[in-house]
Amino acid sequence: MGKVSNLKTIINKDYEKKINDLVGKMTLEEKIGQLTQFLPSIFGAFGMTKDEIIAKLVEGEISYEEFQAMERNYHKDEIKEGLLGSMGGVTGAELSNELQKIAVEESRLGIPLLFGLDVVHGYRTIFPIPLAEACSWDMELIEKTAEIAAKEASASGLHWTYAPMVDITRDPRWGRIAEGAGEDTYLGSMIAAARVRGFQGEDVSQPERILACAKHFAAYGGAVGGRDYNTVDMSLQTLHDVFLPPFEAAAKAGVGTFMSAFNDLNGVPCTVNKYLLTDVLREQYGFTGFVVSDANSIAEVEVHGYAENRREASKKALLAGLEMDMSQGTYKEDLPEQFKNSTISVEVLDEAVRRFLRVKFNLGLIDNPYRTNKVIEEQSLLAPEHIDIAREMAKRSIVLLKNENNILPLKKNLKKIAVIGPLADNKKELLGTWAITGNEEDVVTILSGITAAVENHTEIAYSKGCEVIGEEGMDFNLAVEMASDSDVIIAVVGENADMSGEASSRIDLNLPGRQEELLKALHQTGKPVIVVLINGRPLAIPWVADNVSAIVEAWQLGIQTGIAVADVLFGDYNPSGKLVATFPYSVGQVPIYYNHPRTGRPAGKIKFTSKYIDGPHQPLYPFGFGLSYTTFNYDNLVVHSPEVTKDSLTTISVDVTNTGKRDGEEVVQLYISDLVASRVRPVKELKGFKKVNLQPGERQTVTIDLDIHSLGFYNESMEYVVEPGLFKVCIGPNSQEGIEGELRVLEK
Ligand code: BGC
């Protein structure tokens, strides 16, 4: 594949001279300092080390506020001496400006600091977790929530978010599936670009924009066994066909930075992987920004056993093309000696510093180091329009998985509703993973959302029933008693926020604790049970799918969860979300994904085919699946140019009719199968979609563009090829249903 030419991180001639002048004036220590990022460290808090305290924060044992309040070292001396290029974890307009002032006014060269943080799904206004947002298939809204996150984060003094996470994953055991866009490469690439545009805008130097960071480069989502930080071993073809395109899309969208992944890829840790960081990223994708390590990952190269010590690890990292060392000071401690004794050429260091400074210049930081103040910050955080978008995004992220006998939407004038479950009246868990700057006080619980939606005379009975995990607080009896004389039971069950995200892989994909038992007890009452799922990953819940009346997949939708769930339950919003990751029937099926290569013995009736003897091979819910309160019919598929050349575009259309009684939106999905190729190809692959809104009875011709170039793949010689031949085309409501046509790609 050729170089990308439309990168927005362009090289500006005026800046180049200034950058070279600066580099010319810098001491060795100042250069390495620019490539170093520190977190504020904590002085002797609880007699624990910084890492232990951070672990407590991640575990939820201390809140972000408590963490923030601890007395800490902001490395003011290093800033004054010009020995830091970036700080992570500093928030607040006043504090960031105070530290910036030291860098600009007191350091020898006055180079401003770059402040970064994980702003993953909102800053103070917390939006749905990325996996949930992806289920909206709504690029405009996804871009919008990133834009608002950038507004609030920049108002609070940040310049840089370590997002979007664009890792494809096919393994829901991996907790970080919550942070990405799911299993599909095409959709994941579109979402990667939308999020980059949202954070950075057309011009990242505008004060309300922040730099984005495509992470984790690369293939982190392929961790064996779904176990976080674990090894990744895959063919180069799978890497380039499936796992890398979202990174390329981010690069094309002009993303300013990349973060290397913790894992090793085919035996080489990504942090020191020259093939990835230089050959692919710089040479193939034409990326001109800088690459940051993941936290402490340079030092961990030694633990991988890929370097004898930190010194060798830091040398390998720098030579591979990794510019910035995140948080552990490995470059700072272990590089200087190696330049002094000429083990590494200073030119390599200078180039890394130039790349980093170029980003600071492009961000406008050199000209305007103070991009916010207290007033801007106060006006921006939780602004009413941000909350409106949070509600909009939350309801569009919901996926209706089951709706037997159209039990939903519910009437608002029922006599009694039993709201049961450990997550029904909970705020914190609805924020999801990576919501460190969110505040649980901002969250509307599901119980409050339901209470606000119904008419005054409707009685709402609430009982927790049990905890998410463990035996404590179990009171099935009370829950069952309350439920027994209700019109309907709404059971809110699922996972706590810290059960997905980093270091939160699961061995099982069931409802944790006693929650399924609680559902069984509620089911016994004979009253209809509507399950609202709160979770950060697909779950394997066949009993629930078979037995309850309705399932509303509500993920962790952020501060407006309760309102959005009520909007769907009572029909103020007709759900339109579609799954972006397959729900397995059993954890034993994992990895399970819709676009798997063709086997020579596809599952069939006879024994010797690709299936299981003790359970189904089909998923519980496939990729692309999601119901609506109305129904849609698909007919009249037309492939407008059934014979096409490799570099052409074609369009495919289908007529979609709303055959139900209320208006609704449908994500019309286009899948393609390459029938014969020089490598075994996936059974089908998403190559386009359109979201349409139809009134009852309305019929619309939906036209989807297909770029024939996108039908290619990496062949045995690692060349990207579109091979001539017959392709099957399928348009439908999910990856398993639809109507079919054909398309022939011609030799020339
Ligand atoms: C995570 C990254 C994150 C970084 C900084 C690491 O542990 O893997 O995704 O950006 O911490 O918080």
Side-chain angles (χ1 to χ4, degrees):
M1 212 179 273
K3 279 197 179 174
V4 178
S5 55
N6 61 344
L7 277 182
K8 289 181 193 149
T9 326
I10 38 149
I11 296 181
N12 174 320
K13 293 249 166 58
D14 291 345
Y15 290 162
E16 288 311 295
K17 183 171 170 347
K18 291 183 183 162
I19 291 167
N20 284 330
D21 288 351
L22 264 179
V23 174
K25 287 185 199 147
M26 291 166 104
T27 64
L28 180 64
E29 284 69 24
E30 284 168 336
K31 288 176 188 170
I32 296 172
Q34 280 302 306
L35 303 184
T36 298
Q37 183 194 71
F38 274 165
L39 287 168
S41 40
I42 296 132
F43 294 113
F46 310 136
M48 285 186 288
T49 65
K50 186 182 70 184
D51 284 350
E52 285 165 341
I53 291 171
I54 290 171
K56 283 207 169 292
L57 174 69
V58 173
E59 293 297 325
E61 289 175 30
I62 51 171
S63 69
Y64 193 63
E65 285 70 39
E66 285 170 320
F67 175 75
Q68 283 288 65
M70 286 174 188
E71 200 193 343
R72 54 195 54 227
N73 172 6
Y74 287 102
H75 302 282
K76 291 183 181 169
D77 291 343
E78 278 112 327
I79 300 174
K80 202 187 268 181
E81 287 166 47
L83 299 179
L84 270 192
S86 169
M87 284 207 68
V90 171
T91 55
E94 279 183 345
L95 176 61
S96 62
N97 283 344
E98 182 196 328
L99 299 178
Q100 194 66 300
K101 199 159 185 274
I102 303 176
V104 173
E105 295 182 10
E106 299 182 44
S107 76
R108 197 174 73 88
L109 296 171
I111 305 173
L113 290 164
L114 183 74
F115 293 107
L117 187 79
D118 295 275
V119 181
V120 173
H121 52 114
Y123 181 75
R124 174 69 187 264
T125 304
I126 299 294
F127 299 105
I129 54 167
L131 182 70
E133 281 199 352
C135 293
S136 71
W137 299 53
D138 187 329
M139 296 310 124
E140 250 176 62
L141 208 51
I142 289 173
E143 185 173 331
K144 189 75 194 167
T145 62
E147 182 190 322
I148 292 171
K151 257 190 195 162
E152 293 192 357
S154 59
S156 215
L158 289 160
H159 309 131
W160 180 25
T161 174
Y162 318 130
M165 188 276 228
V166 304
D167 293 310
I168 296 293
T169 188
R170 296 164 157 183
D171 195 331
R173 290 171 299 181
W174 192 53
R176 304 201 79 168
I177 192 172
E179 300 174 46
E183 76 191 34
D184 186 65
T185 305
Y186 175 83
L187 184 64
S189 302
M190 290 193 65
I191 291 177
R195 290 199 166 123
V196 170
R197 285 195 304 271
F199 289 128
Q200 298 192 165
E202 282 293 306
D203 176 3
V204 73
S205 70
Q206 294 304 304
E208 292 191 338
R209 297 298 184 166
I210 55 176
L211 279 170
C213 178
K215 73 184 189 188
H216 305 83
F217 197 56
Y220 186 28
V224 168
R227 189 154 50 80
D228 209 1
Y229 316 118
N230 203 13
T231 191
V232 178
D233 195 285
M234 65 174 62
S235 71
L236 281 183
Q237 284 86 354
T238 300
L239 178 70
H240 282 266
D241 284 343
V242 179
F243 286 80
L244 290 186
F247 289 99
E248 184 174 7
K252 274 194 179 153
V255 73
T257 74
F258 264 62
M259 184 187 291
S260 67
F262 282 124
N263 56 285
D264 78 281
L265 174 64
N266 300 335
V268 183
C270 295
T271 306
V272 291
N273 196 314
K274 179 174 169 295
Y275 172 72
L276 284 176
L277 302 183
T278 297
D279 303 359
V280 174
L281 187 55
R282 302 271 172 201
E283 284 161 25
Q284 192 174 328
Y285 298 168
F287 174 70
T288 58
F290 74 85
V291 183
V292 63
S293 75
D294 205 339
N296 199 33
S297 72
I298 301 178
E300 287 167 19
V301 172
E302 183 190 347
V303 189
H304 275 288
Y306 196 77
E308 240 174 67
N309 47 36
R310 285 176 33 148
R311 183 177 309 161
E312 193 189 347
S314 51
K315 176 180 173 183
K316 283 188 162 162
L318 188 71
L319 292 180
L322 186 119
E323 280 79 31
M324 173 167 281
D325 173 14
M326 181 189 272
S327 76
Q328 299 295 317
T330 315
Y331 271 1
K332 202 167 153 50
E333 281 166 37
D334 299 295
L335 277 182
E337 196 56 37
Q338 306 191 65
F339 293 105
K340 286 181 188 144
N341 62 24
S342 302
T343 322
I344 317 175
S345 134
V346 172
E347 185 37 45
V348 180
L349 178 65
D350 288 356
E351 181 54 21
V353 176
R354 278 195 290 268
R355 284 171 179 163
F356 178 61
L357 290 178
R358 198 171 285 136
V359 172
K360 282 189 171 172
F361 273 94
N362 280 327
L363 187 62
L365 206 54
I366 309 286
D367 301 327
N368 177 19
Y370 310 102
R371 290 154 62 106
T372 186
N373 58 46
K374 191 89 190 122
V375 178
I376 298 178
E377 184 176 27
E378 268 161 20
Q379 282 167 354
S380 178
L381 303 192
L382 276 186
E385 63 273 23
H386 300 180
I387 298 175
D388 289 348
I389 297 289
R391 175 178 185 166
E392 195 60 25
M393 186 81 245
K395 63 193 193 191
R396 286 172 178 274
S397 303
I398 291 173
V399 186
L400 181 64
L401 294 176
K402 182 175 183 186
N403 193 17
E404 206 170 63
N405 302 324
N406 292 327
I407 182 148
L408 292 177
L410 298 173
K411 294 204 173 64
K412 291 184 178 173
N413 61 359
L414 296 174
K415 241 174 89 215
K416 180 174 175 187
I417 301 177
V419 181
I420 312 286
L423 294 163
D425 193 26
N426 184 291
K427 293 182 171 213
K428 177 167 163 256
E429 310 304 341
L430 304 181
L431 289 174
T433 185
W434 286 118
I436 36 184
T437 46
N439 184 339
E440 61 180 277
E441 290 317 312
D442 305 336
V443 177
V444 181
T445 67
I446 293 175
L447 181 62
S448 329
I450 292 173
T451 310
V454 294
E455 292 183 2
N456 283 343
H457 62 79
T458 303
E459 184 194 343
I460 305 282
Y462 161 70
S463 164
K464 199 170 184 183
C466 65
E467 297 292 338
V468 170
I469 4 183
E471 307 281 323
E472 249 171 72
M474 229 177 61
D475 197 351
F476 284 9
N477 291 342
L478 179 63
V480 168
E481 197 187 306
M482 280 178 170
S484 302
D485 67 340
S486 64
D487 298 314
V488 67
I489 303 165
I490 299 174
V492 188
V493 292
E495 298 182 315
N496 287 333
D498 65 2
M499 296 182 73
S500 58
E502 188 175 352
S504 297
S505 297
R506 289 190 60 197
I507 210 160
D508 210 337
L509 294 172
N510 56 2
L511 279 175
R514 309 290 295 270
Q515 296 180 95
E516 191 164 303
E517 274 175 61
L518 173 66
L519 293 183
K520 285 179 178 161
L522 296 172
H523 181 62
Q524 286 283 316
T525 63
K527 299 290 175 186
V529 179
I530 290 158
V531 168
V532 176
L533 285 177
I534 302 296
N535 45 321
R537 57 158 60 74
L539 297 174
I541 43 170
W543 182 89
V544 181
D546 277 352
N547 291 284
V548 305
S549 299
I551 305 177
V552 175
E553 174 51 81
W555 311 109
Q556 291 134 340
L557 299 175
I559 58 169
Q560 289 283 287
T561 305
I563 309 268
V565 167
D567 281 343
V568 164
L569 288 174
F570 297 98
D572 292 324
Y573 180 71
N574 183 359
S576 62
K578 302 274 190 173
L579 293 180
V580 296
T582 303
F583 271 49
Y585 177 90
S586 153
V587 69
Q589 296 176 322
V590 171
I592 181 169
Y593 48 98
Y594 84 95
N595 50 352
H596 58 86
R598 288 202 186 87
T599 154
R601 291 191 176 189
K605 286 209 173 85
I606 58 167
K607 178 173 169 68
F608 298 98
T609 57
S610 182
K611 57 186 183 182
Y612 300 97
I613 55 167
D614 52 355
H617 65 276
Q618 295 97 339
L620 195 59
Y621 298 110
F623 175 86
F625 178 79
L627 301 169
S628 161
Y629 294 153
T630 187
T631 45
F632 299 99
N633 184 57
Y634 286 68
D635 67 354
N636 195 28
L637 181 119
V638 181
V639 179
H640 290 273
S641 330
E643 299 207 332
V644 285
T645 54
K646 287 179 192 172
D647 291 317
S648 57
L649 291 175
T650 186
T651 52
I652 299 169
S653 64
V654 70
D655 290 350
V656 184
T657 311
N658 181 342
T659 47
K661 293 200 181 65
R662 55 172 297 171
D663 60 339
E665 287 159 287
E666 170 74 330
V667 181
V668 179
Q669 303 164 37
L670 164 69
Y671 295 88
I672 301 281
S673 323
D674 186 347
L675 295 183
V676 182
S678 66
R679 281 180 62 79
V680 173
R681 301 291 301 133
V683 285
K684 57 178 65 171
E685 289 179 292
L686 182 76
K687 291 293 174 192
F689 65 89
K690 219 169 225 177
K691 197 162 182 177
V692 291
N693 194 328
L694 298 176
Q695 300 301 310
E698 188 182 347
R699 179 187 180 92
Q700 215 185 86
T701 301
V702 178
T703 303
I704 302 179
D705 295 331
L706 178 67
D707 176 2
I708 303 302
H709 185 73
S710 77
L711 303 187
F713 59 91
Y714 281 84
N715 68 10
E716 276 305 298
S717 326
M718 280 305 292
E719 296 149 347
Y720 185 82
V721 288
V722 180
E723 291 184 346
L726 199 59
F727 289 76
K728 200 167 83 187
V729 172
C730 182
I731 298 194
N734 60 61
S735 61
Q736 304 308 313
E737 294 171 84
I739 50 173
E740 295 182 355
E742 275 181 3
L743 173 79
R744 182 172 291 282
V745 174
L746 302 172
E747 189 73 44
K748 287 221 167 78

